[in-house]
C-alpha cells in the first residue's frame, strides 16, 4: 500500500488524517482507491474529466507526475505520494478572468 | 427553544460569513469565514430545507455546493452530478447562484453555474442534474463570457405557471415556458452596446434581473448597457433610467412587498466601476422605475470609491424592510427603514461577492 500525504485543507475529508494508505500500481489507481473511501476528497483533487486539477501537484519519488507519466506514473508499494497545492494557485490574477 | 432571527449571509472572495440579529436588526453577531480562503460566490438560505447553501470554489480544489443545517457550524460538500458533458469540452468552474425551487417544484433546489448552465437537485442539494434543454441550446456556441466568466447568475420562477427565467452574462435572458424543457432568448429592447449592432436577439451582458412574485409578468434588469423593465414576461424591454446618474451598474434588489420599489447602485462607467463622483449612493424607485431617487443618508459621500457586484444588494422581508449592500472593499451598509438611512454594519471583510437576507426560525 502506498502512503499518500494530503494537503492540510483537504484532510478533513479523510477524517483529519495527514497520511492515508491507498492501493494501486499507478497514481490513477491510487487516487481511485482514495475516491472509493473519500469521494469528496477525490472531487477536490480531480476535475470532472478525471484530470488532476490544475493547481494540484502530485509527487512520486520527488518528481511531479506531469513530468513523468502523469496519472499512469507507477507507484510502488513502498512509495509515498505527496499531494501538494501549487504555489501558483490560491487566487486568480487581477484582470482577465478575475472575479466578476 | 425556537428563536426567530435575521440572517445576513455574505459571500466573499475569502469565504462565507453569517451575520445574525434579532428582529430589531440593531445588534449583529458575525461568524466565519467558512470555507476560509475559498471564493464564496453566493450564500443563501433554503426556506424549504431549513439550511444554508453556499456556492463555493477554490482555484486549487474546484467548486462545490456547501450545505449547512446548523447555521454554519458544519458543512457538507455536495458535488455529485455537478459536471458538464465530456463531449462538450466544458467544465464547471464556479457555482454562481443557489435558489429554492418554485411552488410548482416545491422540494427542488436550483443552481446556476459557470459555464452558463442550470442544475437542479431533487434531494436537498446532495446531487445535481444538468438541465440539458438550456445546455444544448442552439445559440450556446455563440455565447461569450463577461468579465467574470460565462455565468448563470440569476434564476427566477413564475410562482404559478411553469416558467423559468435565467440570466447569463453574456448570453442574455432566457425563458422556459415548460418548466425548463425548452428555452428561448428574451432580450428584445435591451442593448448589447459592446457589439457593432447592439440590437441582437441574444448576447446581452445582463448583470442582474429581479421580479416580485405578486407580479410575475413584470421584470427589471440591470444590464451592462442600461436599466430596463419588461411588462410582458421578458418579451420586450424598455429603459427606466430617469433620475439615475449613470446607467452602468451591477446590483439590483426588489422590495419584499411592494413590487414597484427597487434598489440599484449606479457606477460611473464600464472602465471605472466605481461610485459616481466618489459619492456612494443607493438609488430607489417607488414607481417601477419611472423615476429614481438617491439614498445617501449615512453613506459616505466624499472620496468613497466603492463598488458593488451583482449580488451585493439585498432586502429582508421585515416591515419596514431592511436593505443591505456589500462592497468590493469589504463593507456592509445596512438600512432598517427601506433605505431612508444607513449605517456601516460591518467593515474589513474580504471582497464581498454577494449578500442575502432572510428571517429564519431556528
Amino acid at each position: 500500500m502506498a502512503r499518500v500525504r494530503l494537503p492540510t485543507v483537504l484532510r478533513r475529508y479523510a477524517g483529519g488524517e495527514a497520511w492515508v494508505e491507498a492501493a494501486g500500481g499507478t497514481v490513477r489507481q491510487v487516487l481511485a482507491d482514495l475516491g472509493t473511501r473519500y469521494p469528496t476528497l477525490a472531487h477536490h483533487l480531480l476535475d470532472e474529466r478525471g484530470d488532476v486539477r490544475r493547481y494540484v501537484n502530485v509527487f512520486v519519488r520527488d518528481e511531479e507526475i506531469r513530468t513523468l507519466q502523469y496519472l499512469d506514473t507507477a507507484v510502488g508499494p513502498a512509495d509515498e505520494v505527496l499531494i501538494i497545492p501549487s504555489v501558483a494557485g490560491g487566487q486568480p490574477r487581477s484582470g482577465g478572468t478575475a472575479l466578476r | 427553544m425556537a428563536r426567530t432571527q435575521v440572517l445576513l449571509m455574505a459571500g466573499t472572495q475569502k469565504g462565507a460569513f453569517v451575520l445574525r440579529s434579532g428582529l430589531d436588526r440593531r445588534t449583529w453577531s458575525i461568524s466565519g469565514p467558512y470555507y476560509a480562503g475559498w471564493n464564496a460566490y453566493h450564500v443563501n438560505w433554503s426556506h424549504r430545507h431549513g439550511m444554508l447553501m453556499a456556492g463555493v470554489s477554490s482555484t486549487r480544489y474546484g467548486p462545490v455546493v456547501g450545505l449547512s443545517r446548523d447555521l454554519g457550524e458544519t458543512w457538507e460538500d455536495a458535488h455529485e452530478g455537478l459536471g458538464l458533458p465530456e463531449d462538450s469540452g466544458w467544465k464547471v468552474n464556479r457555482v454562481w447562484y443557489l435558489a429554492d425551487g418554485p411552488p410548482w417544484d416545491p422540494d427542488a433546489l436550483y443552481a446556476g453555474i459557470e459555464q452558463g448552465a442550470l442544475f437542479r437537485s431533487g434531494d436537498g442539494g446532495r446531487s445535481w442534474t444538468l438541465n440539458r434543454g438550456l445546455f444544448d441550446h442552439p445559440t450556446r456556441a455563440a455565447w461569450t463570457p463577461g468579465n467574470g466568466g460565462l455565468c448563470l447568475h440569476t434564476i427566477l420562477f413564475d410562482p404559478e405557471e411553469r416558467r423559468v427565467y435565467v440570466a447569463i452574462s453574456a448570453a442574455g435572458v432566457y425563458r422556459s415556458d415548460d418548466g425548463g424543457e425548452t428555452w428561448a432568448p428574451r432580450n428584445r429592447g435591451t442593448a448589447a452596446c459592446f457589439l457593432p449592432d447592439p440590437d441582437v436577439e441574444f448576447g446581452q451582458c445582463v448583470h442582474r434581473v429581479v421580479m416580485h412574485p405578486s407580479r410575475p409578468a413584470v421584470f427589471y434588469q440591470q444590464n451592462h448597457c442600461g436599466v430596463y423593465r419588461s411588462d410582458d414576461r421578458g418579451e420586450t424591454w424598455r429603459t427606466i433610467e430617469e433620475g439615475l446618474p449613470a446607467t452602468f451598474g451591477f446590483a439590483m434588489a426588489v422590495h419584499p412587498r411592494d413590487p414597484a420599489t427597487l434598489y440599484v447602485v449606479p457606477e460611473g462607467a464600464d472602465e471605472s466601476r466605481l461610485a459616481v463622483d466618489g459619492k456612494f449612493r443607493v438609488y430607489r424607485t417607488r414607481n417601477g422605475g419611472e423615476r429614481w431617487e438617491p439614498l445617501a443618508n449615512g453613506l459616505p459621500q466624499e472620496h468613497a470609491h466603492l463598488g458593488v457586484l451583482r449580488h451585493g444588494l439585498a432586502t429582508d422581508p421585515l416591515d419596514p424592510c431592511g436593505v443591505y449592500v456589500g462592497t468590493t472593499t469589504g463593507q456592509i451598509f445596512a438600512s432598517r427603514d427601506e433605505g431612508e438611512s444607513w449605517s456601516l454594519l460591518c467593515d474589513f471583510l474580504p471582497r464581498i461577492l454577494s449578500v442575502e437576507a432572510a428571517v429564519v426560525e431556528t
Side-chain angles (χ1 to χ4, degrees):
Chain A
M1 299 278 274
R3 296 183 73 230
V4 183
R5 181 172 176 82
L6 303 178
T8 302
V9 71
L10 298 185
R11 291 172 187 171
R12 65 190 182 105
Y13 301 112
E17 298 294 329
W19 290 91
V20 293
E21 290 190 332
T26 65
V27 171
R28 187 189 308 277
Q29 292 170 352
V30 166
L31 295 181
D33 183 55
L34 284 182
T36 60
R37 285 175 285 142
Y38 313 115
T40 301
L41 171 65
H43 169 78
H44 287 309
L45 297 176
L46 303 171
D47 69 20
E48 61 210 83
R49 300 286 178 270
D51 290 319
V52 179
R53 292 194 184 273
R54 179 180 177 185
Y55 294 111
V56 172
N57 290 334
V58 182
F59 293 85
V60 179
R61 297 178 294 280
D62 295 334
E63 297 285 341
E64 212 282 326
I65 62 172
R66 293 175 178 88
T67 67
L68 301 173
Q69 291 74 50
Y70 188 44
L71 288 168
D72 294 320
T73 300
V75 177
D79 279 338
E80 292 182 344
V81 178
L82 308 182
I83 302 176
I84 302 173
S86 167
V87 69
Q91 286 297 332
R93 293 165 294 171
S94 59
T97 57
L99 296 170
R100 314 238 180 171
Chain B
M1 179 181 293
R3 178 187 171 194
T4 303
Q5 52 187 327
V6 182
L7 292 188
L8 181 60
M9 298 151 280
T12 81
Q13 187 171 321
K14 294 286 190 178
F17 293 82
V18 178
L19 294 88
R20 289 187 262 181
S21 174
L23 297 180
D24 62 2
R25 297 167 296 187
R26 292 188 178 277
T27 304
W28 295 82
S29 64
I30 182 170
S31 56
Y34 305 112
Y35 293 97
W38 292 33
N39 306 146
Y41 262 63
H42 193 221
V43 187
N44 205 356
W45 178 260
S46 170
H47 292 278
R48 188 67 46 70
H49 298 277
M51 66 180 182
L52 290 167
M53 44 189 184
V56 294
S57 65
S58 161
T59 53
R60 291 193 176 106
Y61 304 120
V64 290
V65 174
L67 306 172
S68 175
R69 291 171 173 79
D70 52 13
L71 295 182
E73 288 298 311
T74 61
W75 292 83
E76 170 189 351
D77 288 12
H79 53 85
E80 183 181 343
L82 208 63
L84 297 175
E86 184 168 359
D87 59 1
S88 70
W90 296 90
K91 295 181 183 179
V92 173
N93 195 9
R94 301 185 182 98
V95 178
W96 270 77
Y97 193 76
L98 292 162
D100 275 331
W104 45 265
D105 193 8
D107 295 322
L109 296 172
Y110 285 78
I113 68 100
E114 183 185 340
Q115 314 282 351
L118 178 68
F119 283 78
R120 178 187 178 279
S121 172
D123 59 4
R126 292 186 176 85
S127 66
W128 296 86
T129 302
L130 174 67
N131 181 293
R132 292 303 302 244
L134 183 66
F135 189 75
D136 296 330
H137 199 275
T139 61
R140 170 177 285 274
W143 293 359
T144 58
N147 188 48
L150 185 63
C151 52
L152 193 156
H153 56 73
T154 298
I155 307 168
L156 296 169
F157 303 96
D158 188 303
E160 296 179 359
E161 305 292 331
R162 292 179 60 86
R163 288 195 188 88
V164 189
Y165 302 79
V166 298
I168 303 169
S169 288
V173 173
Y174 280 70
R175 188 184 84 198
S176 170
D177 294 332
D178 53 12
E181 294 290 322
T182 61
W183 298 83
R186 290 289 181 264
N187 301 292
R188 192 188 320 162
T190 62
C193 53
F194 40 86
L195 296 177
D197 177 10
D199 184 23
V200 291
E201 184 185 21
F202 65 92
Q204 287 80 353
C205 192
V206 53
H207 288 176
R208 189 79 171 102
V209 180
V210 300
M211 60 89 86
H212 193 282
S214 68
R215 291 189 184 172
V218 180
F219 288 79
Y220 302 92
Q221 177 181 153
Q222 172 67 73
N223 186 290
H224 191 109
C225 306
V227 185
Y228 299 93
R229 169 177 172 154
S230 172
D231 290 288
D232 52 11
R233 296 182 171 82
E235 293 291 334
T236 59
W237 299 83
R238 62 182 175 89
T239 58
I240 49 167
E241 299 166 352
E242 181 66 33
L244 292 175
T247 60
F248 184 87
F250 284 95
M252 178 179 270
V254 64
H255 191 283
R257 286 171 302 284
D258 180 2
T261 295
L262 304 164
Y263 302 87
V264 294
V265 185
E267 296 183 347
D270 177 3
E271 284 301 315
S272 65
R273 307 189 177 199
L274 300 171
V276 180
D277 298 330
K279 303 177 192 299
F280 185 60
R281 295 180 176 180
V282 178
Y283 278 71
R284 178 181 66 196
T285 177
R286 293 286 205 188
N287 52 19
E290 297 306 321
R291 178 74 188 168
W292 296 88
E293 57 178 334
L295 306 173
N297 184 8
L299 296 175
Q301 299 302 300
E302 289 188 343
H303 308 296
H305 304 291
L306 305 179
V308 178
L309 299 174
R310 75 187 77 223
H311 292 131
L313 191 57
T315 58
D316 69 36
L318 297 175
D319 189 3
C321 83
V323 192
Y324 308 89
V325 58
T327 72
T328 57
T329 39
Q331 295 88 18
I332 297 178
F333 294 93
S335 170
R336 295 193 302 271
D337 53 12
E338 314 209 343
E340 292 297 322
S341 63
W342 298 80
S343 62
L344 180 63
L345 176 60
C346 195
D347 202 351
F348 308 117
L349 291 183
R351 179 183 174 94
I352 294 173
L353 308 177
S354 69
V355 291
E356 292 281 3
V359 175
V360 305
E361 188 165 314
T362 58

